[in-house]
Amino acid sequence: MANRVLVPESKQGLSKFKQEVARELGVPFSDYNGDLSSRQCGSVGGEMVKRMVQEYENNLK
């Protein structure tokens, strides 16, 4: 299955969120990230998911 954007309006917001998390973690994200390690990229993605799950759980209460 190809990656599809189900809500096109969310693309910009997710990009901004990714940049914020990367900045907080000290990962130098840019337009080209081929020089970053898998660990660096994974830490950003993992932190994003962690925060999204936390936000979802907070909204359940």
Side-chain angles (χ1 to χ4, degrees):
M1 175 186 277
N3 288 335
R4 296 181 303 157
V5 178
L6 298 177
V7 182
E9 298 81 19
S10 69
K11 192 170 185 173
Q12 185 178 5
L14 283 172
S15 180
K16 181 179 176 187
F17 181 43
K18 177 171 55 175
Q19 293 298 329
E20 289 173 8
V21 170
R23 188 173 32 257
E24 289 174 19
L25 296 177
V27 177
F29 262 38
S30 65
D31 291 335
Y32 173 76
N33 296 309
D35 55 347
L36 298 178
S37 70
S38 296
R39 180 178 293 258
Q40 288 174 303
C41 291
S43 68
V44 173
E47 184 65 23
M48 288 175 67
V49 171
K50 179 180 170 183
R51 291 182 189 188
M52 286 187 274
V53 168
Q54 186 176 27
E55 181 67 23
Y56 178 78
E57 288 175 344
N58 288 341
N59 287 330
L60 290 177
K61 298 176 184 178

